[in-house]
Amino acid sequence: MSDIVSAAAHLRNNALVAFPTETVYGLGANACSEEAVLKIFAAKGRPSDNPLIVHVPDLGSANFFLETVDPLSLLLADTFWPGPLTLVLRVKPGLLAPQVTAGLDTVGVRVPDHPVALALLRECRLPLAAPSANKSGSPSPTTAQHVRDDYKTGGGPEMVLDGGPCRVGLESTVIRVVDNKIHILRPGAVSKEHLLKVPGVTEDMIIDGSGAIRNSTTDGPPRAPGMKYRHYAPIAPVKLVDTWEEVSIQSGDFIIAFDDVVIALMDSAKRVSLGSDPTDLEIASMRLFAALRQADTEQARRVLIDVRFDHTHGIGAALWNRISKAGSLN
Ligand code: TXA
Ligand code: MG
């Protein structure tokens, strides 16, 4: 039996399967089964009021659990799927396990752009609820080994499908369209600049909701990612570095930086490269979470992260969002 066929059989039996996507590895379960979905929360140690993203092989496969989709969301789905975009859409009651939506009247939906994920979704013929496959408290996994590491003491998925390292490395952009406005709830590889290339989309239609979300203290289910929950930060204190000339490297420092710094340091500290070019952030995005995990396994005393890049444009906004969360104490 191929891995995909046996993984699909596990999913139909309401077991968990970790699978690769282009963003990060997901911890998948049958989104229509309460029994299956509860296993996700138990395995991750995830708060039960944090809703899950549902993965489908195409929009048509999601129609049975969705209310009528608004035209702008349809256009975005058509433009960016398969791809690193999650759309928050109105959900029909009673079809998905209630824990998937955490009591909201919407659900996050995504068509991942990864051959293994798509093959699995087509084979199992189930919508798959899948948060990032890390245990709560670890960065999202970007390799199969990261998933195995998080569950080495047990309680993890029945199976981990290995699709190699994730191409994007940061979780999907989460968007909600309300009254023809695009609210970016979590920045990702589908950036504001990408959205502005969509016919009919203008600057005033795009609202950056990610900052507001972080500052919100509302009770009840989070309306958007990251609103209530502590995000991953390495065990050691993190320093975000803009001017390396002002930093004195200490023993036990772990450096995550672009090549000029990595090369200048020679062997004076443990270090991971974010790539050679701070204007081309795809490599940096792909490597960030693995580097943060490595800082912990190397028992760094301090983690220095290079932030000499444009925080406002393209995937730089998503990279900055994750780095600033890793560097904040709450
Ligand atoms: O790239 C990704 O999105 C990965 C891969 C596996 O697809 N998944 C992922 O899932 O990052 P997770 O659970 O780690 O993050 C999903 C975020 C959560 O923070 C959740 O609050 C938000 O999406 N979310 C889910 N449903 C929502 C909804 N109805 N309204 C607002 N936010 C929602
Ligand atoms: Mg996550």
Side-chain angles (χ1 to χ4, degrees):
M1 220 190 329
S2 83
D3 281 354
I4 296 284
V5 172
S6 48
H10 283 307
L11 290 164
R12 279 193 296 268
N13 286 330
N14 293 338
L16 302 182
V17 171
F19 62 93
T21 80
E22 80 281 28
T23 57
V24 300
Y25 276 71
L27 186 63
N30 175 2
C32 299
S33 158
E34 188 161 354
E35 180 199 349
V37 168
L38 283 172
K39 288 180 185 167
I40 293 180
F41 289 90
K44 278 184 66 99
R46 183 178 176 106
S48 62
D49 61 351
N50 197 4
L52 304 175
I53 293 173
V54 175
H55 298 68
V56 286
D58 45 54
L59 180 59
S61 308
N63 277 338
F64 81 93
F65 63 80
L66 294 177
E67 300 283 4
T68 309
V69 179
D70 64 278
L72 182 52
S73 293
L74 273 182
L75 179 61
L76 297 179
D78 206 42
T79 308
F80 296 107
W81 284 352
L85 174 71
T86 294
L87 289 169
V88 173
L89 301 169
R90 287 194 307 127
V91 68
K92 281 190 186 142
L95 293 166
L96 297 173
Q99 296 80 7
V100 171
T101 55
L104 300 172
D105 57 3
T106 55
V107 60
V109 182
R110 173 165 121 75
V111 178
D113 184 17
H114 193 292
V116 174
L118 289 170
L120 180 66
L121 287 163
R122 292 197 181 107
E123 179 68 28
C124 72
R125 297 169 154 272
L126 297 167
L128 294 182
S132 51
N134 56 291
K135 262 201 165 147
S136 282
S138 292
S140 295
T142 55
T143 66
Q145 190 57 45
H146 292 161
V147 182
R148 292 186 210 110
D149 289 346
D150 275 10
Y151 295 101
K152 57 176 177 262
T153 55
E158 208 64 45
M159 198 172 163
V160 181
L161 289 172
D162 192 339
C166 299
R167 172 171 62 76
V168 175
L170 302 178
E171 306 89 344
S172 61
T173 307
V174 179
I175 276 177
R176 179 164 186 197
V177 172
V178 182
D179 296 335
N180 215 41
K181 296 256 190 300
I182 300 171
H183 296 254
I184 302 180
L185 305 182
R186 176 173 73 182
V190 171
S191 64
K192 186 174 174 186
E193 288 68 28
H194 288 117
L195 294 168
L196 284 170
K197 287 195 190 131
V198 176
V201 174
T202 52
E203 187 97 36
D204 61 313
M205 285 166 66
I206 303 178
I207 298 163
D208 175 7
S210 55
I213 289 148
R214 226 175 306 141
N215 296 332
S216 171
T217 53
T218 337
D219 285 336
R223 293 250 147 222
M227 191 160 91
K228 266 174 50 168
Y229 299 107
R230 196 177 180 282
H231 274 264
Y232 173 76
I235 295 161
V238 175
K239 187 176 168 63
L240 308 185
V241 182
D242 211 1
T243 321
W244 286 90
E245 295 75 27
E246 290 171 4
V247 174
S248 70
I249 304 299
Q250 298 162 11
S251 93
D253 276 352
F254 188 91
I255 316 278
I256 303 172
F258 293 98
D259 277 350
D260 56 336
V261 168
V262 165
I263 292 162
L265 284 171
M266 305 289 285
D267 287 330
S268 60
K270 294 244 164 77
R271 57 213 192 276
V272 169
S273 163
L274 289 177
S276 56
D277 182 359
T279 65
D280 174 4
L281 296 170
E282 284 183 12
I283 291 177
S285 302
M286 205 173 76
R287 290 183 182 167
L288 177 70
F289 289 151
L292 292 172
R293 281 174 176 263
Q294 199 185 329
D296 280 347
T297 47
E298 306 261 9
Q299 297 180 304
R301 282 209 218 135
R302 187 170 71 151
V303 184
L304 305 182
I305 309 180
D306 203 341
V307 293
R308 292 171 303 158
F309 60 87
D310 181 349
H311 302 170
T312 59
H313 285 84
I315 200 166
L319 188 64
W320 171 246
N321 171 271
R322 306 313 190 273
I323 289 177
S324 57
K325 282 179 178 165
S328 73
L329 291 174
N330 50 33

